[in-house]
């Protein structure tokens, strides 16, 4: 039996794994495009759903970002229910479901009436759409991570893992690019009136394309892992009972990167606008440049981790944010080069972690509980720390304690570094089936 498991572990799950990459990347692109455009466009539509009586108040933006955070709290539920689907009936079915839910959520936001039109029902619809998208995103990470790593040859899991964030970053580039294009073409009044709806409607339509592409992919939960082709028999929380140490390690390794990722990738343009008065359109363009830089670095880090191991890159990322966050955010000014340097430096540190996160986490769990083992602790950590990051930053700025946010990221990153110290090197170990 042991020899059979070892043999399966060393054979790629599919004969043409690059077709699997295409399915994962296209789906991730649409998934994360739909998820991120909300935070980029919140400054345009916040007052239409959360009106304020005080001119210049940050209360509407705080409320809109609060809805962004609320969406994160559906992610643990999504990781449980859709992760269970992925572990019992296959990664492919879970991935088709996640992108379908995301498209419906985007359609609801794009067509939702404003507060002036239907009163309190307007923010209720907005919240419902974000909850639906949170459910979708919660199921996406674990399913897509397992799908990519199981599709890879054993000596290229780090490289294949990097394509998760390549897809996610491509979604970010598409989101930032669409907002930058619209804000360059339309004036502020048009953007606030109707222009902000266009990216949401584009995302809803593109989800149909992602569903079709994912239908043509090959299932990686094979008969080798599911006896007699029947659904895998496992409890919902078997990953916690049987692998408590690995579950806690996923939580620890996500603490710092969760806040850092949503700060640098999603919130930094808005952070620069409200702290140093940076031009809104210019900050979005710089965000686009830094995302392209990140997109170029990630596969290089994933490829190199297959050669030299995962831990050097994990150490580099966590140490960079532990000692570098305070000086980096402290050097922000109303200058093009200031924001570009800060954003690209953070992206380089993120790339060291993001490129191999899926591989490292997939290598901790056996196949029958891999999606749940990766997805739930990841989603729970991101919900508590990543999703609340923009809200905490805005609240601290509004209360005059801006610098505390930098120390918050640094402290969480220090815990992540200690987690990496406790973990074994997994680059050259076979996947457990």
């Amino acid at each position: 039996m042991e020899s059979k498991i070892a043999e399966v572990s060393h054979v790629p799950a599919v004969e043409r794994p690059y077709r699997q990459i295409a399915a994962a990347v296209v789906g991730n692109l649409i998934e994360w495009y739909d998820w991120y455009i909300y935070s980029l466009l919140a400054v345009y539509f916040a007052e239409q759903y959360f009106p304020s009586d005080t001119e210049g108040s940050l209360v509407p933006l705080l409320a809109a970002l609060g809805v962004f955070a609320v969406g994160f709290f559906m992610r643990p539920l999504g990781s449980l229910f859709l992760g269970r689907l992925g572990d019992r009936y296959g990664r492919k079915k879970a991935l088709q479901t996640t992108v379908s839910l995301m498209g419906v959520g985007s359609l609801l936001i794009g067509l939702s009436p404003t507060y002036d039109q239907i009163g309190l029902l307007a923010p209720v619809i907005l919240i419902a759409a974000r909850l639906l998208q949170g459910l979708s995103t919660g199921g996406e990470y674990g399913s897509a991570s397992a799908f990519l790593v199981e599709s890879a040859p054993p000596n290229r899991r780090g490289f294949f893992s990097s394509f998760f964030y390549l897809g996610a970053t491509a979604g970010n580039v598409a989101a930032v690019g669409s907002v930058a294009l619209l804000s360059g073409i339309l004036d502020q009044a048009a953007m606030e009136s109707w222009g902000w709806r266009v990216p949401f409607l584009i995302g809803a339509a593109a989800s149909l394309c992602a569903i079709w592409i994912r239908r043509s992919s090959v299932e990686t939960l094979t008969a080798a892992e599911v006896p007699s082709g029947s659904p895998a028999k496992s409890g919902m929380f078997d990953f916690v009972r049987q692998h408590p140490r690995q579950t806690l390690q996923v939580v620890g390794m996500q603490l710092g990167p969760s806040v850092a990722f949503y700060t640098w990738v999603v919130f930094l343009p808005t952070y620069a606008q409200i702290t140093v008065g940076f031009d809104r359109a210019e900050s979005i363009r710089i965000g686009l440049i830094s995302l392209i830089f990140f997109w170029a670095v990630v596969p290089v880090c994933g490829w190199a981790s297959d050669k030299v191991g995962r831990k050097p890159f994990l150490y580099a990322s966590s140490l960079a944010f532990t000692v570098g966050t305070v000086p980096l955010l402290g050097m922000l000014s109303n200058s093009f080069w200031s924001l570009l340097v800060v954003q690209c430096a953070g992206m380089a540190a993120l790339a060291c972690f993001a490129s191999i996160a899926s591989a490292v986490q997939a290598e901790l769990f056996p196949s029958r509980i891999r999606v749940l083992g990766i997805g739930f602790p990841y989603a729970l950590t991101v919900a508590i720390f990543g999703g609340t990051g923009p809200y905490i930053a805005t609240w601290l700025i509004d209360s005059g304690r801006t610098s505390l946010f930098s120390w918050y990221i640094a402290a969480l990153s220090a815990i992540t570094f200690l987690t990496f110290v406790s973990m074994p090197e997994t680059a050259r170990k076979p996947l457990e089936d």
Side-chain angles (χ1 to χ4, degrees):
M1 183 66 178
E2 292 181 0
S3 62
K4 182 179 180 181
I5 292 175
E7 180 183 354
V8 172
S9 301
H10 284 82
V11 176
V14 292
E15 293 181 1
R16 301 171 69 180
Y18 287 97
R19 291 174 57 185
Q20 304 290 90
I21 289 177
V25 168
V26 172
N28 277 337
L29 190 157
I30 304 303
E31 183 87 10
W32 296 97
Y33 166 87
D34 285 349
W35 179 253
Y36 287 130
I37 51 176
Y38 181 96
S39 65
L40 293 172
L41 293 166
V43 292
Y44 292 108
F45 66 74
E47 292 189 4
Q48 297 183 41
Y49 292 88
F50 306 97
S52 172
D53 295 330
T54 305
E55 186 176 352
S57 171
L58 285 177
V59 170
L61 180 59
L62 278 170
L65 291 175
V67 175
F68 180 75
V70 165
F72 277 81
F73 285 93
M74 283 299 286
R75 291 174 69 162
L77 287 178
S79 70
L80 281 177
F81 293 117
L82 296 174
R84 180 72 162 169
L85 179 69
D87 280 334
R88 286 178 65 85
Y89 297 102
R91 322 315 192 196
K92 181 177 172 180
K93 187 178 292 292
L95 289 172
Q96 288 178 270
T97 304
T98 60
V99 79
S100 301
L101 292 174
M102 183 61 73
V104 172
S106 287
L107 184 65
L108 281 175
I109 296 174
L111 298 178
S112 62
T114 65
Y115 187 92
D116 287 341
Q117 293 170 322
I118 59 170
L120 288 174
L121 191 57
V124 169
I125 292 174
L126 191 68
I127 292 169
R130 287 303 289 179
L131 292 177
L132 194 63
Q133 291 187 320
L135 192 73
S136 164
T137 311
E140 175 74 12
Y141 182 81
S143 301
S145 295
F147 179 79
L148 275 170
V149 175
E150 291 166 357
S151 297
N155 62 342
R156 307 197 76 189
R157 293 197 300 260
F159 179 64
F160 273 53
S161 168
S162 70
F163 282 90
F164 180 89
Y165 277 96
L166 283 182
T169 306
N172 275 286
V173 171
V176 175
S178 65
V179 174
L181 179 63
L182 278 171
S183 63
I185 294 174
L186 304 176
D187 59 25
Q188 177 115 352
M191 280 295 296
E192 291 176 352
S193 175
W194 59 270
W196 65 267
R197 297 180 183 273
V198 174
F200 287 107
L201 297 176
I202 291 173
S207 296
L208 296 174
C209 175
I211 293 169
W212 178 76
I213 291 174
R214 283 186 164 178
R215 286 185 62 185
S216 66
S217 63
V218 177
E219 178 56 61
T220 61
L221 185 66
T222 66
E225 293 108 17
V226 185
S228 303
S230 62
K233 301 269 192 270
S234 62
M236 179 76 81
F237 291 97
D238 276 2
F239 66 95
V240 177
R241 288 191 292 267
Q242 299 173 7
H243 300 273
R245 179 183 177 88
Q246 290 86 343
T247 301
L248 288 175
Q249 285 172 337
V250 174
V251 171
M253 70 187 290
Q254 286 293 157
L255 284 175
S258 292
V259 182
F261 186 86
Y262 285 99
T263 299
W264 259 266
V265 176
V266 177
F267 186 63
L268 198 59
T270 303
Y271 183 86
Q273 291 165 30
I274 61 180
T275 55
V276 297
F278 209 94
D279 178 75
R280 182 180 296 176
E282 187 80 343
S283 68
I284 291 175
R285 283 190 285 270
I286 291 173
L288 181 60
I289 294 171
S290 67
L291 283 172
I292 294 171
F293 168 76
F294 179 76
W295 198 84
V297 174
V298 161
V300 176
C301 293
W303 171 83
S305 79
D306 287 326
K307 307 295 181 183
V308 303
R310 318 284 190 227
K311 295 191 76 170
F313 293 91
L314 299 177
Y315 288 152
S317 176
S318 55
L319 282 175
F321 283 114
T322 300
V323 303
T325 298
V326 174
L328 274 176
L329 293 183
M331 67 180 282
L332 271 178
S333 67
N334 193 12
S335 156
F336 176 91
W337 290 106
S338 166
L339 181 56
L340 182 64
V341 168
V342 170
Q343 196 145 18
C344 285
M347 292 298 201
L350 275 173
C352 291
F353 170 80
S355 59
I356 57 175
S358 295
V360 172
Q361 291 162 5
E363 289 161 350
L364 294 175
F365 296 96
S367 176
R368 67 183 180 85
I369 56 171
R370 184 167 292 140
V371 177
L372 277 167
I374 297 171
F376 181 73
Y378 166 85
L380 186 64
T381 308
V382 171
I384 296 172
F385 295 94
T388 58
Y391 186 89
I392 290 172
T394 306
W395 176 73
L396 288 172
I397 293 165
D398 196 37
S399 61
R401 293 174 286 180
T402 303
S403 63
L404 287 182
F405 185 64
S406 302
W407 289 104
Y408 175 64
I409 297 175
L412 293 177
S413 298
I415 297 173
T416 294
F417 172 76
L418 294 177
T419 302
F420 292 148
V421 171
S422 73
M423 293 173 61
E425 177 60 68
T426 57
R428 295 171 183 84
K429 293 183 179 179
L431 285 179
E432 185 180 350
D433 294 317

